[in-house]
Amino acid sequence: MIGMTENLMNNNCVTLIGKVIKDPIFSHEVYGEGFFETMLQVNRLSEQVDIIPITISERLMRCYPIEVGAEIGVAGQFRSYNKMVDGKSKLMLTVFVREILEDLTDQNPNMIELIGYICKDPIFRTTPFKREICDILVAVNRAYNKSDYIPCIAWGRNARYASTLPVGSKIIINGRIQSREYQKVLSEDVVETRVAYEISINRIQLADDCAENYS
C-alpha cells in the first residue's frame, strides 16, 4: 500500500518559486488540521507573471510564516475539486503544498510533471495568427480512489501530436502552470473577467513509449 501511494504521488509533481501576494485565508479542515489558501506570483522568462492559487496546511505555516511579500518555494501537487458557484458545479484548481523549499538556488520557478489519462477528445484549433493549439483534459490518479482533472494546452508540433491521441491514452506531460484571463459573457450587457489555470505543455509523450525507452 505504501509503495502504491508513493507511485500515485509521483504522478503529479509541482515546484513553484514566487512571491506571496495575498494574506492566507482559511479554506477547510481535515482530521482536525486547518488548511489555508493564498496566491503566489510566479515570474515567467518574459515580463509576464502567473498568479497561482496554493493551499497550505497550518502545520507548515507554523514552521514557515506565510505573509504578503515573502519569497517562497513550494513543492506539491496540482489538484482539482468541484465547487458550487451560482448553482453550478465549477472545476477549481490549486497547488496543494506538501513541502516548503529551503534552497531556492538553481531551481526552475515553475515546473510540473503529470502522468495521467486523456479523458476527453482533444480539441485542436488554429488562431487567426495561424498558431496551432490543442486543449486536452488529463485525469491524474490520486490516493483513496480520487482523481484530479487537469486542463492542459499544447502548441505547435506538440499540439499536432496531442490531437492524434485517443481518449484513454496514458501520457507523461512536462510543463508549467499558467494563469490566463478571459472574458465570460453573462448577458447582453454583462461581461465578467475570469481567470483560468492550465498546464502549458513543454513535452508530451505516451507513457508506454517512455517505458520502452528505459527497458
Side-chain angles (χ1 to χ4, degrees):
M1 181 63 71
I2 293 177
M4 182 179 296
T5 300
E6 289 177 350
N7 288 337
L8 290 174
M9 289 178 61
N10 291 334
N11 284 347
N12 187 335
C13 299
V14 179
T15 300
L16 296 176
I17 298 173
K19 182 171 66 176
V20 178
I21 61 170
K22 182 180 179 181
D23 288 321
I25 59 172
F26 179 79
S27 170
H28 62 281
E29 185 176 290
V30 178
Y31 298 121
E33 182 175 12
F35 290 84
F36 291 76
E37 294 179 344
T38 184
M39 305 295 286
L40 204 62
Q41 178 180 295
V42 180
N43 294 330
R44 297 187 188 180
L45 293 178
S46 63
E47 294 183 355
Q48 292 181 300
V49 299
D50 292 296
I51 307 299
I52 300 172
I54 67 172
T55 301
I56 186 167
S57 70
E58 59 183 353
R59 175 180 56 83
L60 282 175
M61 291 176 61
R62 284 197 296 267
C63 300
Y64 303 92
I66 305 299
E67 55 189 22
V68 172
E71 188 85 11
I72 64 170
V74 301
Q77 296 179 308
F78 199 32
R79 293 186 176 180
S80 69
Y81 63 96
N82 290 311
K83 181 179 181 180
M84 295 302 295
V85 178
D86 298 328
K88 297 181 179 179
S89 180
K90 182 180 180 181
L91 184 71
M92 310 294 290
L93 295 158
T94 184
V95 172
F96 182 82
V97 177
R98 291 189 171 277
E99 179 186 0
I100 301 293
L101 304 177
E102 296 186 358
D103 183 6
L104 304 184
T105 58
D106 300 323
Q107 292 270 10
N108 186 327
N110 189 339
M111 181 172 60
I112 183 169
E113 180 174 290
L114 299 177
I115 303 174
Y117 299 85
I118 296 178
C119 57
K120 290 179 66 176
D121 288 326
I123 300 174
F124 180 85
R125 64 189 190 279
T126 303
T127 71
F129 298 101
K130 305 301 181 183
R131 194 171 190 191
E132 296 167 306
I133 300 173
C134 187
D135 296 303
I136 58 176
L137 185 65
V138 179
V140 181
N141 292 334
R142 204 199 312 166
Y144 307 109
N145 295 318
K146 293 184 178 181
S147 296
D148 295 296
Y149 295 90
I150 311 298
C152 303
I153 186 168
W155 313 84
R157 183 178 64 179
N158 282 335
R160 293 193 298 274
Y161 175 67
S163 69
T164 68
L165 300 177
V167 171
S169 298
K170 185 178 182 181
I171 57 174
I172 300 175
I173 286 174
N174 296 86
R176 61 178 177 82
I177 302 174
Q178 70 177 18
S179 60
R180 172 177 55 84
E181 289 190 348
Y182 67 97
Q183 305 296 315
K184 176 71 172 181
V185 179
L186 302 179
S187 68
E188 291 184 0
D189 303 317
V190 180
V191 178
E192 183 176 270
T193 299
R194 297 184 177 180
V195 180
Y197 304 100
E198 60 203 0
I199 305 304
S200 180
I201 297 173
N202 295 329
R203 185 175 63 187
I204 177 172
Q205 66 184 118
L206 288 170
D208 290 343
D209 290 346
C210 183
E212 290 176 2
N213 291 336
Y214 286 94
S215 61

